[in-house]
Amino acid sequence: MAFSVYRTLLFFAALAVNAEAVELTPLVNLFIGTASGANGGSGGNAFPGAALPHGMAKVGIDVSTAPRQAGYVHDNSSITGISLMHDEGTGGNTNGGYGIFPLFPLSNCTFASCPVGIRDRAALRKAGTDSAAPGYFTTTFTNNIKLEATSTRRSGLIRFTYPTTGPNHVVVDLTNDLGRSFSGGSISVTSAGRVKLGGTFLQSYGPSNYTVFACYDFAAPQSQSAQQISAFGTYQSTTLSAPASITITANATDLSFPFSGSVSPEQAGALFAFSGSNTVLARFGVSFHGADQACANAEEEVPAWDWDAVQGASAGAWEDVLSRVAVDTAAEDATVVELLYSSLYRASLVPANLTGENPYWDSPYPFYDAFFCSWDTFRTVHPLLSLLSPREWGEIVSAYVDGWRHTGFIPECRANTKAGYVQGGSDGMIPLGDFATKYGGRASELGVPIDDLYQALVDTAENTPPDWYTVGRQNTAWKTFGYIPTNWVDPSGSTGLPTREASRAFEYALGDFAVRQAAIALKKSPGDVVKYSNRSMNFKNMWDASVTSDGFSGFAQRRFPNGTFAFSPPNACSPVDPVGHSCARGTDNNVGFYESSSWEYSFFAPHSMASVIALMGGAATFVPRVDHYFSAGYYLAGNEPGFPMPWAYHYAARPDLSSLRVRKVVYENFNTGVGGIPGNDDSGAMAALLTFHILGLYPVAASTQLLLGSPLLSAYTLRNDVLGTRTAVRVVGFDKAGLSAAPPAGAAVFVKSVTINGAPGPSLCWIDFSDIVGGGNVEIEVYGDAAAAAKAGCGPGPRALPDSLETGGFSV
Ligand SMILES: *[C@@H]1O[C@H](CO)[C@@H](O)[C@H](O)[C@H]1NC(C)=O
Ligand SMILES: *[C@@H]1O[C@H](CO)[C@@H](O)[C@H](O)[C@H]1NC(C)=O
Ligand SMILES: *[C@@H]1O[C@H](CO)[C@@H](O)[C@H](O)[C@H]1NC(C)=O
Ligand SMILES: *[C@@H]1O[C@H](CO)[C@@H](O)[C@H](O)[C@H]1NC(C)=O
Ligand SMILES: *[C@@H]1O[C@H](CO)[C@@H](O)[C@H](O)[C@H]1NC(C)=O
Ligand SMILES: *[C@@H]1O[C@H](CO)[C@@H](O)[C@H](O)[C@H]1NC(C)=O
Ligand SMILES: *[C@@H]1O[C@H](CO)[C@@H](O)[C@H](O)[C@H]1NC(C)=O
C-alpha cells in the first residue's frame, strides 16, 4: 500500500498498549475504494477519515469536486475543509451527504481580509501526504499546514500544525455541508473560544431535511497546546446575490438565519486568530439534540483533550473488531490479508450508533442511522454482523424494530436520520428474519424485543403505508394479485413510484420468506408459516416462459392486472443494454427492474433456487445459463443484485464452478488500490461481500445456511463473543496457486471433504451457522482434480444440496 505504512507501524509500536501478538490495525488500508467516480472511475465512495466502529462522528477532509459522496476523493482536487460527519460508500447525492460544519486552517492572512469563503480558501494537498490508520487521518497542504483528526463516538480532536507561530487562523463554517444545502441555522461564539452551531440541511437520498448541531472548543489546555486566541469574530455574505463577497466582523458573537424552507448560498461562520504556538488544537462534539448537548458530549468523551488517549482508544476498539477474524498474517498471502482487514474495517463503519441522539422520539432502545440502504446491506453486511458482532447487531436490529414501533413500518433506507427512498422491497425485513433464526433464543440477552420484532415483520408484510415512496411495500397489489401489476391504479389511494414491478416482486417474496423463517424460529402460529411460505413463492408469478434471449428461455417480466405479460428485453438495464433504458426508481423506468436486468433478477430467489432451476429447464440449462450470464456481460460486479451470482452453481451441484468463478470475480474486480472496489462500497456491502469470498462462505438470506467453498486463506479463526466461541477453520491442502483470477489446472481450489469437529459435515456445498460459529474445528480439505470435483458435486448426503423451499428445504 502506498500510504505511509512505515510511519503508521512506528506509531503503533510506540503506542504498544496491551499489544496482542500482531497488531491488525496497521494492516488496514483506508484508501481502498477512494478513487474518483468521475469520468468512469471506479468511485467506491469509501470514507478514509477518523471514526470509531459504528461511530457517529466521522471526521475527514472534503474535496471541492463532485462526485464526493464521502467527502474524500483520492485525487489532486482542492480541499474545502475538514468536517465532522460522513457517510460510507453510499450513492445518493453526488455532492455527498453530511460533511457538516467544516473547519479550515489559514495562515498568512490578516484577520479582516482572510479568505474565509469556501471558494477562496480551498487549498491543494502536497502529493503523498494523505495518510490514515483506524482512528486517525492526516494530510498536509501545499502551504505546509498539516491537518490531523481523531475521534470518539460523538466527539474528537482536530489539530492544525502551521509553519510558523502565526498569527494563524481557523475558519468555522456554519453553512457549507457537502451538499451545499444550508436551509437555516445559527452560530454563537465566545471570546473564551467556544463555538455552538446548528443547521438544517437536505438529506443525501430522500425527500426531507435534518437538523444537526456541533460544538467547538478552542481554549485548549496549555499542556496540550500553547495556543492563545488573539482575535475572533463572525463572517457572512455581504449580499446573497453575490455570496462570495464576505464581511468579517471582529468581536461579533452571533449570527442567525431563520429556517427558510429553501437552500441558501449564504457563506457564514466564525473566524479565530491564534498566536503563541504553531499548533491549534480544536475539540468538537456533535449532537442531534442541540448545541449544548454537543458541548456536553465533547466534555464527556474528550475531557482532557488527550490526543494519544483518544487515538489509542479508537485503535483499541478497531483492534477488537478486526481480531474477530484471526489469521496467521505472516503465513497467508499478503494481499489477501490486506483485503481481509481493510474489508472488515469498512464493513464496521456503519450503521452509525446515534443512541441517545434520537431527535424524533424518546425511547429506551438504541438508535442507529445510515441504514443506507437495507437494499444494499441485507445481503452481506448484516450476515457478517451475525457471525462476528452479535452485540452490535442486536442494537442495530433493535433500532430497526424501534423504527417500526414509531412509524408502523420497518425502516428501509434511513439516511441522515430521516426515511430515504425505498429501492425495491422493504429489505429491512430480511435482517430481522435472519436475527430471529440465529439469535431468537438469545434476543433478551441482546436487548431485542423479539415479539415486537415479529409484529414489525407482520405489519410490514401486511400493511400498505399511505406513501410507500420512503417506507414499506405496496402490499395492496401484492396481496390482491400475487404479483405487482403494471399500470394499476391502487384503490387504497396509497401512493409510491409504481415502477420496478418485476424486481419488487422478487424482493417482496424474499421479505415474506423472512417472516416465514421468523415464524418458525419463534414458534408463531402454523398458519403464519403456511401463509408466508406460500407468498414467498409468488416470484414465480412474474415468470414468462415464452420469452427467450440468447437461446435461453423463460424470463421474469412485468405483468398487467389482467395477467398478460408486458415484454421488455431481458438484457434491458444490463451493463450491455444496447438501448440505454432508465433503470432507477423514477417513472421513466419502463423496464420493470431496478438497477438490474431480467437476465440477472430472474436468478434471484435465494430461498428457492431449485424453483429457479426448474423454471429455467433444469440443471443442464441452468449451468450454461449462469456461464452465459457472465460471459455475455450481464454481470455487474459493482452492484448488489450480482452478489450471489458467482455462487449460483452450488444449486446445480457444481461447487467446483463456483470456486473458479469466485476467484475470477475477486481477482478481476477487487484489489488494494484506490480503485480497488468495483462500485460504491454501499455502507460496507462490498467490503462484507469480499470478506465472505475470502472466508469461502456466502450467506443465504434469512437462514442459518451459508454456502461453503474453498477459502482464500489456509486457516482462520472466527471469534463470537456473545456465543463465547472461537471456531478454527483449516484448509487442508491449501494451495496458493489458487489465488488468481484463473488458477492453473491442478491448483487445489475444489472442496474434497468437510469435517466438523472430526465428523463428516452434511455437505460439500454448505455449512450451518451453528457449525461455523459453534466453537471447535472445521476442516475443509481441498484438491485440484477438476473432473473428480465436478463429479462429486455437493457430496452424497441426503441434504447435500443447499436448501430450497419448494423442494422441502428450510424445514423445521
Ligand atoms: C491533477 O491531476 C490531473 C489528472 O491526473 C492532471 O491533469 C492535473 O494537471 C492535476 N492538477 C494539479 C493542480 O496538479
Ligand atoms: C503570503 O501572502 C503574500 C501576499 O498575499 C504572498 O505574496 C506570499 O507569497 C504569501 N506567503 C506564503 C508563504 O504563502
Ligand atoms: C475587539 O475586542 C478587543 C478586546 O476588547 C479589542 O482590543 C479590539 O479593538 C476589538 N476589535 C474591534 C475591531 O472592535
Ligand atoms: C424541510 O422540512 C420541513 C419540515 O418537514 C419542510 O417544511 C421544508 O419544506 C423542508 N425544507 C426543504 C428545503 O426541503
Ligand atoms: C452505542 O452507544 C451507546 C450509548 O453510548 C452505548 O451504550 C453502546 O454500547 C454503543 N454500542 C456499541 C455497539 O458500541
Ligand atoms: C398458495 O395459496 C394459494 C391459495 O390457497 C394456492 O392456490 C396456491 O397454490 C398456493 N401456492 C403455493 C406455492 O403453495
Ligand atoms: C391485458 O392488458 C393489456 C394492457 O392493458 C392489454 O394490452 C392486453 O391486450 C390485455 N390482454 C388481454 C388478454 O385482455
Side-chain angles (χ1 to χ4, degrees):
M1 84 171 109
F3 305 95
S4 309
V5 182
Y6 180 65
R7 266 205 336 218
T8 311
L9 283 170
L10 276 185
F11 172 78
F12 281 101
L15 201 72
V17 278
N18 68 32
E20 303 218 14
V22 179
E23 293 281 0
L24 300 175
T25 40
L27 301 170
V28 175
N29 178 347
L30 284 85
F31 293 95
I32 294 174
T34 60
S36 172
N39 306 316
S42 71
N45 300 339
F47 169 73
L52 272 180
H54 304 284
M56 172 170 158
K58 289 187 169 63
V59 204
I61 59 171
D62 299 320
V63 300
S64 56
T65 51
R68 52 160 187 254
Q69 275 90 338
Y72 183 88
V73 171
H74 193 78
D75 66 3
N76 60 10
S77 53
S78 61
I79 301 304
T80 55
I82 181 163
S83 65
L84 303 184
M85 292 177 69
H86 290 89
D87 288 317
E88 150 57 26
T90 62
N93 183 347
T94 55
N95 283 322
Y98 289 125
I100 48 156
F101 307 132
L103 294 186
F104 198 89
L106 294 169
S107 59
N108 197 26
C109 59
T110 53
F111 189 85
S113 58
C114 281
V116 293
I118 191 155
R119 212 143 3 113
D120 292 342
R121 73 192 187 216
L124 297 170
R125 289 161 282 170
K126 280 170 86 166
T129 59
D130 293 358
S131 177
Y136 178 72
F137 180 88
T138 184
T139 192
T140 301
F141 287 153
T142 51
N143 63 10
N144 288 319
I145 300 176
K146 180 181 181 182
L147 290 66
E148 295 169 280
T150 188
S151 66
T152 61
R153 183 168 74 95
R154 297 171 297 184
S155 306
L157 294 168
I158 296 171
R159 181 162 58 204
F160 302 117
T161 305
Y162 299 81
T164 72
T165 55
N168 295 307
H169 295 87
V170 173
V171 180
V172 186
D173 186 335
L174 169 66
T175 57
N176 289 293
D177 68 325
L178 279 170
R180 309 290 184 256
S181 66
F182 182 70
S183 311
S186 65
I187 184 168
S188 75
V189 185
T190 69
S191 58
R194 172 159 281 192
V195 183
K196 297 183 192 177
L197 306 108
T200 298
F201 304 94
L202 297 186
Q203 280 183 289
S204 161
Y205 188 69
S208 193
N209 53 45
Y210 67 99
T211 300
V212 64
F213 304 89
C215 177
Y216 282 109
D217 284 311
F218 290 100
Q222 294 294 294
S223 58
Q224 304 295 346
S225 171
Q227 71 205 45
Q228 303 285 345
I229 297 170
S230 53
F232 73 92
T234 63
Y235 70 88
Q236 70 185 107
S237 296
T238 312
T239 112
L240 269 193
S241 52
S245 160
I246 289 170
T247 305
I248 299 173
T249 310
N251 297 337
T253 57
D254 291 277
L255 289 175
S256 184
F257 304 92
F259 174 72
S260 67
S262 66
V263 168
S264 160
E266 179 77 55
Q267 298 293 298
L271 180 65
F272 283 86
F274 297 92
S275 58
S277 173
N278 71 333
T279 64
V280 170
L281 187 61
R283 182 177 71 176
F284 71 87
V286 287
S287 177
F288 285 97
H289 283 320
D292 289 336
Q293 184 63 45
C295 296
N297 292 345
E299 285 163 1
E300 177 193 330
E301 295 181 10
V302 191
W305 301 56
D306 181 340
W307 188 286
D308 291 347
V310 171
Q311 189 180 340
S314 187
W318 280 111
E319 202 63 42
D320 176 52
V321 168
L322 301 174
S323 66
R324 294 170 195 172
V325 181
V327 305
D328 181 342
T329 55
E332 304 291 350
D333 177 76
T335 300
V336 172
V337 169
E338 184 177 333
L339 289 172
L340 171 69
Y341 288 110
S342 304
S343 299
L344 280 172
Y345 174 86
R346 292 203 316 279
S348 305
L349 282 167
V350 289
N353 185 358
L354 268 56
T355 301
E357 295 291 339
N358 181 346
Y360 308 113
W361 63 79
D362 287 328
S363 166
Y365 293 103
F367 185 67
Y368 276 72
D369 182 44
F371 299 158
F372 192 172
C373 301
S374 306
W375 185 86
D376 299 277
T377 58
F378 83 81
R379 295 169 173 83
T380 55
V381 173
H382 289 277
L384 190 60
L385 288 165
S386 80
L387 280 189
L388 305 173
S389 308
R391 192 177 66 84
E392 292 86 334
W393 199 38
E395 292 186 8
I396 292 164
V397 165
S398 287
Y400 271 96
V401 175
D402 206 39
W404 155 82
R405 191 178 291 105
H406 291 273
T407 69
F409 296 90
I410 296 170
E412 163 56 21
C413 190
R414 189 143 79 199
N416 311 94
T417 75
K418 289 274 183 77
Y421 299 121
V422 175
Q423 288 171 274
S426 184
D427 294 331
M429 296 172 76
I430 299 160
L432 267 53
D434 198 23
F435 183 88
T437 69
K438 290 170 177 165
Y439 292 97
R442 289 176 180 262
S444 60
E445 180 189 336
L446 292 170
V448 176
I450 198 71
D451 290 328
D452 288 356
L453 176 147
Y454 188 69
Q455 194 59 47
L457 282 166
V458 170
D459 283 357
T460 307
E462 295 299 325
N463 303 336
T464 305
D467 175 354
W468 42 272
Y469 199 56
T470 58
V471 73
R473 322 194 297 184
Q474 193 186 11
N475 286 322
T476 43
W478 185 235
K479 292 199 292 188
T480 305
F481 292 88
Y483 59 92
I484 310 293
T486 285
N487 291 355
W488 182 62
V489 178
D490 195 320
S492 72
S494 292
T495 58
L497 282 171
T499 55
R500 306 148 292 146
E501 307 90 308
S503 57
R504 277 197 285 138
F506 278 76
E507 290 179 40
Y508 287 17
L510 185 60
D512 285 351
F513 174 70
V515 189
R516 180 255 189 209
Q517 291 292 87
I520 290 175
L522 306 177
K523 302 189 169 43
K524 298 294 178 182
S525 83
D528 278 11
V529 177
V530 170
K531 174 182 183 179
Y532 293 110
S533 297
N534 178 305
R535 272 172 39 177
S536 78
M537 297 306 294
N538 279 347
F539 67 90
K540 294 169 75 173
N541 294 337
M542 306 313 293
W543 202 263
D544 185 347
S546 72
V547 173
T548 64
S549 172
D550 300 351
F552 296 94
S553 56
F555 285 86
Q557 291 285 299
R558 291 180 303 156
R559 225 175 158 177
F560 294 114
N562 64 12
T564 305
F565 287 101
F567 176 79
S568 40
N571 65 2
C573 293
S574 77
V576 293
D577 183 353
V579 174
H581 292 87
S582 291
C583 308
R585 297 162 26 265
T587 48
D588 54 351
N589 179 339
N590 60 6
V591 171
F593 296 86
Y594 178 71
E595 291 191 3
S596 180
S597 61
S598 173
W599 251 99
E600 192 162 69
Y601 253 100
S602 295
F603 287 108
F604 186 69
H607 57 301
S608 203
M609 287 298 289
S611 314
V612 172
I613 291 176
L615 289 168
M616 290 184 175
T621 55
F622 178 83
V623 169
R625 186 159 166 173
V626 177
D627 281 341
H628 185 77
Y629 157 84
F630 283 103
S631 64
Y634 300 134
Y635 172 66
L636 179 61
N639 205 11
E640 279 69 16
F643 279 13
M645 287 304 297
W647 293 83
Y649 304 99
H650 269 56
Y651 290 94
R654 291 300 305 274
D656 55 312
L657 298 177
S658 300
S659 277
L660 295 172
R661 186 65 70 182
V662 166
R663 282 164 171 74
K664 191 167 163 59
V665 161
V666 166
Y667 282 96
E668 287 182 351
N669 295 288
F670 294 90
N671 60 64
T672 58
V674 294
I677 312 177
N680 299 344
D681 201 29
D682 280 334
S683 298
M686 291 282 164
L689 173 68
L690 181 57
T691 303
F692 277 116
H693 285 330
I694 289 171
L695 299 180
L697 300 169
Y698 188 85
V700 179
S703 87
T704 61
Q705 206 161 68
L706 294 99
L707 303 183
L708 179 77
S710 65
L712 307 183
L713 295 161
S714 71
Y716 59 84
T717 299
L718 303 181
R719 194 182 84 228
N720 183 309
D721 290 335
V722 164
L723 300 176
T725 57
R726 284 169 201 264
T727 310
V729 177
R730 195 161 70 90
V731 181
V732 179
F734 179 77
D735 185 355
K736 278 192 177 170
L739 300 179
S740 81
V749 297
F750 308 116
V751 176
K752 185 179 183 192
S753 70
V754 177
T755 63
I756 297 159
N757 293 324
S763 169
L764 304 180
C765 284
W766 61 269
I767 188 164
D768 194 74
F769 179 77
S770 62
D771 289 322
I772 198 65
V773 287
N777 297 292
V778 174
E779 281 197 359
I780 302 170
E781 187 188 358
V782 293
Y783 64 155
D785 186 336
K791 193 151 171 280
C794 292
R799 287 192 61 201
L801 269 186
D803 281 2
S804 285
L805 192 55
E806 195 173 4
T807 52
F810 303 110
S811 52
V812 186

